[in-house]
Amino acid sequence: MTPSLHTVFFSPTGSSRKMAQETARALAQELAQNMALARGNDWNWTFPEGRAAAHTLGPQDVLVFAFPVYAGRIPQVLMEPLARLAGHGAHAILLAVYGNRHYDDALLEAVDLFGANGFSVPAAGAFVAEHSMTAKVGAGRPDAEDMAAIADFARSAARIIASGESANVAVPGNRPYKALPPAADIRPQTLDSCTQCGLCASVCPMRVIDADNAAQVAQGCLRCCACVKICPEQAKYFDNPQVDKIVAMLESNCRERREPEVFFAAAGKM
């Protein structure tokens, strides 16, 4: 059976999806020079129906996994679907997407989880996207330079896969991982200018916004800000001291451009 290349992403505002698909495109193009590889499925874990599935890969398959960094960790909503992802020796290329502050232990956590799930992880990278909470941090990213870096990263990863390298990549981070902040019930607010178009409900990864009344938001919001970014009337917003404090810190300390960081297994960039 011809090995397949799949992507998995959790991408409320679209950046992780964009990066995963560009990685897969460049991987497929480079690997085609050395091996037969079928372009498989995009598994979208942004919404509950996508996260409910279980996936099993084979030893020659390749998986690209891209996720946004939340508080320096993998989003906790992904832990259950990750537990149902079986590698059986497949290669995983991992992308931690963060909002120009830092990715902390998220990339290490991802390498550890995929290794425990039976994957070989020959390459991993941390890439910047516009911060979900403020467009003043990481504004306009990923930009053309970022996308070029992602394609170069993918081509290098493909050459390692083609070489037969099976060692897992070493990445920065700490064990135990960074402690997660206490859960807080913070929900977006809605202005009277809301037209009930339903866009905010359609992009909510937790399905907590009522499709018939956007002002009704149930508990469980991740503060991904997908609803805020998509609203054509700018009617969705957060009014909370904790959120205001985080935004002020980001805008004061995290506006200097950070560049992608990429890591490869022992074979290196061939």
Side-chain angles (χ1 to χ4, degrees):
M1 182 179 294
T2 303
S4 296
L5 168 62
H6 302 278
T7 63
V8 176
F9 47 82
F10 176 75
S11 190
T13 58
S15 295
S16 295
R17 178 176 189 158
K18 182 178 181 179
M19 295 185 190
Q21 292 177 334
E22 175 59 13
T23 302
R25 183 202 64 78
L27 267 171
Q29 185 178 60
E30 187 72 22
L31 284 171
Q33 302 178 35
N34 298 285
M35 58 186 288
L37 186 73
R39 183 65 173 93
N41 297 320
D42 286 341
W43 294 324
N44 186 351
W45 285 3
T46 306
F47 304 108
E49 54 269 28
R51 297 193 295 270
H55 301 290
T56 299
L57 290 89
Q60 300 302 314
D61 290 337
V62 180
L63 177 73
V64 175
F65 175 59
F67 65 96
V69 174
Y70 278 26
R73 298 280 301 277
I74 294 174
Q76 292 299 290
V77 71
L78 298 185
M79 290 305 172
E80 284 191 15
L82 281 170
R84 296 191 294 271
L85 187 63
H88 298 290
H91 302 286
I93 309 301
L94 309 180
L95 292 82
V97 181
Y98 71 105
N100 205 60
R101 183 191 65 79
H102 204 279
Y103 55 93
D104 297 312
D105 301 328
L107 201 55
L108 177 64
E109 184 178 19
V111 171
D112 287 347
L113 279 169
F114 274 79
N117 284 6
F119 287 86
S120 165
V121 186
F127 297 91
V128 175
E130 184 174 290
H131 202 286
S132 61
M133 289 186 173
T134 169
K136 295 180 180 179
V137 178
R141 300 184 70 185
D143 56 22
E145 291 181 28
D146 293 315
M147 298 309 290
I150 287 169
D152 185 59
F153 163 74
R155 286 188 287 267
S156 295
R159 290 191 286 270
I160 296 172
I161 292 171
S163 76
E165 174 63 48
S166 60
N168 282 355
V169 64
V171 300
N174 298 291
R175 302 184 188 93
Y177 311 128
K178 182 179 180 181
L180 293 169
D185 183 12
I186 300 173
R187 312 180 196 187
Q189 306 298 307
T190 308
L191 295 172
D192 291 341
S193 57
C194 172
T195 63
Q196 300 296 340
C197 69
L199 284 174
C200 58
S202 72
V203 299
C204 176
M206 303 304 290
R207 300 297 195 214
V208 295
I209 301 176
D210 192 300
D212 297 318
N213 182 357
Q216 292 186 6
V217 182
Q219 187 172 359
C221 173
L222 296 177
R223 300 189 295 283
C224 69
C225 295
C227 61
V228 175
K229 289 181 177 293
I230 203 170
C231 180
E233 306 298 330
Q234 298 183 324
K236 271 280 187 283
Y237 69 102
F238 283 90
D239 182 15
N240 179 273
Q242 183 175 328
V243 172
D244 292 344
K245 183 178 180 180
I246 293 170
V247 170
M249 180 278 294
L250 291 167
E251 293 182 353
S252 296
N253 302 318
C254 303
R255 296 175 76 165
E256 183 177 352
R257 182 183 178 96
R258 295 179 66 96
E259 298 299 338
E261 297 181 36
V262 296
F263 308 92
F264 302 95
K269 294 177 68 175
M270 301 182 61

mmCIF file of all heavy atoms in Angstrom, residues 16 25 42 47 68 74 90 97 102 106 109 118 131 140 156-157 164 170 174 177 185 188 204 208 217 220 222 261 264:
data_model
loop_
_atom_site.group_PDB
_atom_site.id
_atom_site.type_symbol
_atom_site.label_atom_id
_atom_site.label_comp_id
_atom_site.label_asym_id
_atom_site.label_seq_id
_atom_site.Cartn_x
_atom_site.Cartn_y
_atom_site.Cartn_z
ATOM 1 N N SER A 16 -2.813 28.055 12.101
ATOM 2 C CA SER A 16 -2.243 26.703 12.187
ATOM 3 C C SER A 16 -2.617 25.885 10.963
ATOM 4 O O SER A 16 -1.804 25.100 10.446
ATOM 5 C CB SER A 16 -2.715 26.003 13.467
ATOM 6 O OG SER A 16 -2.214 26.665 14.610
ATOM 7 N N ARG A 25 2.363 20.576 1.669
ATOM 8 C CA ARG A 25 2.630 20.801 0.242
ATOM 9 C C ARG A 25 4.124 20.648 -0.067
ATOM 10 O O ARG A 25 4.519 19.936 -1.003
ATOM 11 C CB ARG A 25 2.164 22.196 -0.163
ATOM 12 C CG ARG A 25 2.325 22.499 -1.656
ATOM 13 C CD ARG A 25 2.382 23.979 -1.934
ATOM 14 N NE ARG A 25 3.539 24.620 -1.337
ATOM 15 C CZ ARG A 25 4.771 24.556 -1.844
ATOM 16 N NH1 ARG A 25 5.006 23.882 -2.958
ATOM 17 N NH2 ARG A 25 5.777 25.162 -1.246
ATOM 18 N N ASP A 42 -6.909 15.964 5.260
ATOM 19 C CA ASP A 42 -6.756 16.987 6.287
ATOM 20 C C ASP A 42 -7.753 16.649 7.395
ATOM 21 O O ASP A 42 -8.965 16.607 7.145
ATOM 22 C CB ASP A 42 -7.082 18.377 5.730
ATOM 23 C CG ASP A 42 -6.000 18.913 4.818
ATOM 24 O OD1 ASP A 42 -4.865 18.413 4.877
ATOM 25 O OD2 ASP A 42 -6.294 19.844 4.043
ATOM 26 N N PHE A 47 -13.192 21.677 15.453
ATOM 27 C CA PHE A 47 -14.553 21.560 15.965
ATOM 28 C C PHE A 47 -14.781 20.180 16.595
ATOM 29 O O PHE A 47 -14.071 19.220 16.279
ATOM 30 C CB PHE A 47 -15.540 21.823 14.837
ATOM 31 C CG PHE A 47 -15.328 23.160 14.181
ATOM 32 C CD1 PHE A 47 -14.790 23.239 12.899
ATOM 33 C CD2 PHE A 47 -15.607 24.325 14.864
ATOM 34 C CE1 PHE A 47 -14.566 24.471 12.303
ATOM 35 C CE2 PHE A 47 -15.386 25.566 14.281
ATOM 36 C CZ PHE A 47 -14.856 25.648 13.001
ATOM 37 N N PRO A 68 -2.037 25.703 17.999
ATOM 38 C CA PRO A 68 -1.693 26.956 18.664
ATOM 39 C C PRO A 68 -1.246 26.693 20.098
ATOM 40 O O PRO A 68 -1.764 25.791 20.772
ATOM 41 C CB PRO A 68 -3.010 27.736 18.627
ATOM 42 C CG PRO A 68 -4.058 26.678 18.635
ATOM 43 C CD PRO A 68 -3.494 25.497 17.905
ATOM 44 N N ILE A 74 0.249 22.612 24.953
ATOM 45 C CA ILE A 74 -0.741 22.174 23.972
ATOM 46 C C ILE A 74 -2.133 22.468 24.531
ATOM 47 O O ILE A 74 -2.384 22.253 25.725
ATOM 48 C CB ILE A 74 -0.598 20.663 23.716
ATOM 49 C CG1 ILE A 74 0.739 20.350 23.049
ATOM 50 C CG2 ILE A 74 -1.734 20.139 22.842
ATOM 51 C CD1 ILE A 74 1.006 18.871 22.888
ATOM 52 N N ALA A 90 4.824 5.708 12.178
ATOM 53 C CA ALA A 90 4.695 6.799 11.209
ATOM 54 C C ALA A 90 5.555 7.986 11.623
ATOM 55 O O ALA A 90 5.916 8.149 12.793
ATOM 56 C CB ALA A 90 3.237 7.228 11.094
ATOM 57 N N VAL A 97 2.445 26.821 17.027
ATOM 58 C CA VAL A 97 2.164 28.154 16.491
ATOM 59 C C VAL A 97 1.835 29.070 17.667
ATOM 60 O O VAL A 97 0.889 28.812 18.407
ATOM 61 C CB VAL A 97 0.995 28.093 15.494
ATOM 62 C CG1 VAL A 97 0.714 29.474 14.923
ATOM 63 C CG2 VAL A 97 1.298 27.097 14.377
ATOM 64 N N HIS A 102 6.188 33.397 23.595
ATOM 65 C CA HIS A 102 7.102 32.254 23.640
ATOM 66 C C HIS A 102 6.262 30.993 23.608
ATOM 67 O O HIS A 102 5.087 31.008 23.991
ATOM 68 C CB HIS A 102 7.984 32.257 24.894
ATOM 69 C CG HIS A 102 9.254 31.481 24.708
ATOM 70 N ND1 HIS A 102 9.306 30.102 24.813
ATOM 71 C CD2 HIS A 102 10.506 31.876 24.407
ATOM 72 C CE1 HIS A 102 10.546 29.697 24.589
ATOM 73 N NE2 HIS A 102 11.292 30.751 24.332
ATOM 74 N N ALA A 106 5.479 23.818 25.043
ATOM 75 C CA ALA A 106 4.484 23.213 24.152
ATOM 76 C C ALA A 106 5.105 22.267 23.133
ATOM 77 O O ALA A 106 4.560 21.193 22.859
ATOM 78 C CB ALA A 106 3.702 24.312 23.433
ATOM 79 N N GLU A 109 6.267 19.084 24.872
ATOM 80 C CA GLU A 109 5.098 18.278 25.219
ATOM 81 C C GLU A 109 4.587 17.528 23.992
ATOM 82 O O GLU A 109 4.242 16.337 24.076
ATOM 83 C CB GLU A 109 4.005 19.188 25.781
ATOM 84 C CG GLU A 109 2.775 18.456 26.267
ATOM 85 C CD GLU A 109 1.733 19.390 26.854
ATOM 86 O OE1 GLU A 109 1.773 20.609 26.569
ATOM 87 O OE2 GLU A 109 0.867 18.888 27.606
ATOM 88 N N GLY A 118 3.683 6.249 19.460
ATOM 89 C CA GLY A 118 4.236 5.384 18.435
ATOM 90 C C GLY A 118 4.701 6.075 17.172
ATOM 91 O O GLY A 118 4.872 5.426 16.138
ATOM 92 N N HIS A 131 -1.128 37.293 17.400
ATOM 93 C CA HIS A 131 -1.711 36.837 18.670
ATOM 94 C C HIS A 131 -3.230 36.941 18.611
ATOM 95 O O HIS A 131 -3.782 37.913 18.100
ATOM 96 C CB HIS A 131 -1.168 37.663 19.842
ATOM 97 C CG HIS A 131 -1.303 36.955 21.145
ATOM 98 N ND1 HIS A 131 -2.512 36.809 21.802
ATOM 99 C CD2 HIS A 131 -0.377 36.311 21.910
ATOM 100 C CE1 HIS A 131 -2.322 36.126 22.918
ATOM 101 N NE2 HIS A 131 -1.042 35.800 23.001
ATOM 102 N N GLY A 140 -0.025 40.625 11.309
ATOM 103 C CA GLY A 140 0.129 40.189 9.926
ATOM 104 C C GLY A 140 0.869 38.887 9.727
ATOM 105 O O GLY A 140 1.135 38.495 8.592
ATOM 106 N N SER A 156 13.573 20.234 4.464
ATOM 107 C CA SER A 156 14.624 19.616 5.279
ATOM 108 C C SER A 156 14.093 18.388 6.006
ATOM 109 O O SER A 156 14.768 17.358 6.093
ATOM 110 C CB SER A 156 15.176 20.628 6.285
ATOM 111 O OG SER A 156 15.820 21.699 5.637
ATOM 112 N N ALA A 157 12.863 18.484 6.535
ATOM 113 C CA ALA A 157 12.246 17.347 7.207
ATOM 114 C C ALA A 157 12.065 16.181 6.235
ATOM 115 O O ALA A 157 12.289 15.012 6.588
ATOM 116 C CB ALA A 157 10.903 17.756 7.797
ATOM 117 N N GLY A 164 15.819 7.710 6.122
ATOM 118 C CA GLY A 164 15.550 6.584 7.011
ATOM 119 C C GLY A 164 15.809 6.879 8.470
ATOM 120 O O GLY A 164 15.687 5.995 9.328
ATOM 121 N N ALA A 170 15.309 16.542 19.347
ATOM 122 C CA ALA A 170 15.426 17.171 20.661
ATOM 123 C C ALA A 170 15.001 18.629 20.528
ATOM 124 O O ALA A 170 15.447 19.344 19.623
ATOM 125 C CB ALA A 170 16.857 17.078 21.172
ATOM 126 N N ASN A 174 10.921 22.143 29.345
ATOM 127 C CA ASN A 174 11.169 21.607 30.681
ATOM 128 C C ASN A 174 10.166 20.524 31.030
ATOM 129 O O ASN A 174 9.007 20.570 30.611
ATOM 130 C CB ASN A 174 11.061 22.739 31.725
ATOM 131 C CG ASN A 174 12.085 23.836 31.508
ATOM 132 O OD1 ASN A 174 13.277 23.624 31.704
ATOM 133 N ND2 ASN A 174 11.621 24.998 31.086
ATOM 134 N N TYR A 177 6.220 20.031 32.716
ATOM 135 C CA TYR A 177 5.858 21.143 31.867
ATOM 136 C C TYR A 177 5.329 22.318 32.694
ATOM 137 O O TYR A 177 4.954 22.173 33.853
ATOM 138 C CB TYR A 177 4.774 20.726 30.864
ATOM 139 C CG TYR A 177 5.062 19.448 30.122
ATOM 140 C CD1 TYR A 177 4.125 18.414 30.086
ATOM 141 C CD2 TYR A 177 6.272 19.260 29.450
ATOM 142 C CE1 TYR A 177 4.372 17.242 29.395
ATOM 143 C CE2 TYR A 177 6.530 18.088 28.756
ATOM 144 C CZ TYR A 177 5.579 17.078 28.741
ATOM 145 O OH TYR A 177 5.841 15.916 28.072
ATOM 146 N N ASP A 185 -13.874 31.067 34.094
ATOM 147 C CA ASP A 185 -15.066 31.155 33.252
ATOM 148 C C ASP A 185 -15.181 32.578 32.714
ATOM 149 O O ASP A 185 -15.829 33.448 33.303
ATOM 150 C CB ASP A 185 -16.303 30.777 34.068
ATOM 151 C CG ASP A 185 -17.575 30.782 33.222
ATOM 152 O OD1 ASP A 185 -17.457 30.859 31.982
ATOM 153 O OD2 ASP A 185 -18.679 30.722 33.807
ATOM 154 N N PRO A 188 -17.079 35.823 25.979
ATOM 155 C CA PRO A 188 -17.164 37.067 25.201
ATOM 156 C C PRO A 188 -18.494 37.764 25.414
ATOM 157 O O PRO A 188 -19.522 37.129 25.645
ATOM 158 C CB PRO A 188 -16.997 36.585 23.757
ATOM 159 C CG PRO A 188 -17.471 35.169 23.773
ATOM 160 C CD PRO A 188 -17.078 34.630 25.116
ATOM 161 N N CYS A 204 -16.829 29.022 16.428
ATOM 162 C CA CYS A 204 -16.479 28.707 17.814
ATOM 163 C C CYS A 204 -16.056 27.238 17.940
ATOM 164 O O CYS A 204 -16.845 26.337 17.659
ATOM 165 C CB CYS A 204 -17.667 28.969 18.728
ATOM 166 S SG CYS A 204 -17.337 28.489 20.453
ATOM 167 N N VAL A 208 -19.974 26.956 22.020
ATOM 168 C CA VAL A 208 -20.644 27.503 23.206
ATOM 169 C C VAL A 208 -21.455 28.756 22.894
ATOM 170 O O VAL A 208 -22.154 29.273 23.762
ATOM 171 C CB VAL A 208 -19.628 27.796 24.338
ATOM 172 C CG1 VAL A 208 -18.992 26.517 24.832
ATOM 173 C CG2 VAL A 208 -18.567 28.807 23.907
ATOM 174 N N VAL A 217 -23.819 32.808 25.559
ATOM 175 C CA VAL A 217 -22.573 32.051 25.476
ATOM 176 C C VAL A 217 -22.479 31.155 26.700
ATOM 177 O O VAL A 217 -22.494 31.645 27.838
ATOM 178 C CB VAL A 217 -21.344 32.977 25.409
ATOM 179 C CG1 VAL A 217 -20.065 32.159 25.272
ATOM 180 C CG2 VAL A 217 -21.479 33.970 24.261
ATOM 181 N N GLY A 220 -17.257 27.354 28.949
ATOM 182 C CA GLY A 220 -16.342 26.525 28.180
ATOM 183 C C GLY A 220 -15.534 27.274 27.140
ATOM 184 O O GLY A 220 -14.784 26.668 26.375
ATOM 185 N N LEU A 222 -12.655 29.075 25.232
ATOM 186 C CA LEU A 222 -11.190 28.951 25.279
ATOM 187 C C LEU A 222 -10.483 30.289 25.138
ATOM 188 O O LEU A 222 -9.262 30.357 25.228
ATOM 189 C CB LEU A 222 -10.706 28.042 24.138
ATOM 190 C CG LEU A 222 -11.139 26.588 24.155
ATOM 191 C CD1 LEU A 222 -10.603 25.898 22.913
ATOM 192 C CD2 LEU A 222 -10.640 25.888 25.405
ATOM 193 N N GLU A 261 11.788 29.019 14.912
ATOM 194 C CA GLU A 261 12.834 28.149 15.446
ATOM 195 C C GLU A 261 12.534 26.727 14.997
ATOM 196 O O GLU A 261 11.418 26.237 15.199
ATOM 197 C CB GLU A 261 12.890 28.215 16.971
ATOM 198 C CG GLU A 261 13.246 29.602 17.509
ATOM 199 C CD GLU A 261 13.321 29.637 19.028
ATOM 200 O OE1 GLU A 261 13.763 28.634 19.623
ATOM 201 O OE2 GLU A 261 12.903 30.656 19.624
ATOM 202 N N PHE A 264 15.767 19.507 14.176
ATOM 203 C CA PHE A 264 15.795 18.294 13.376
ATOM 204 C C PHE A 264 16.491 17.173 14.141
ATOM 205 O O PHE A 264 17.342 17.414 15.007
ATOM 206 C CB PHE A 264 16.529 18.547 12.055
ATOM 207 C CG PHE A 264 15.910 19.642 11.235
ATOM 208 C CD1 PHE A 264 16.391 20.940 11.314
ATOM 209 C CD2 PHE A 264 14.816 19.381 10.410
ATOM 210 C CE1 PHE A 264 15.801 21.951 10.572
ATOM 211 C CE2 PHE A 264 14.218 20.392 9.671
ATOM 212 C CZ PHE A 264 14.714 21.680 9.747
#
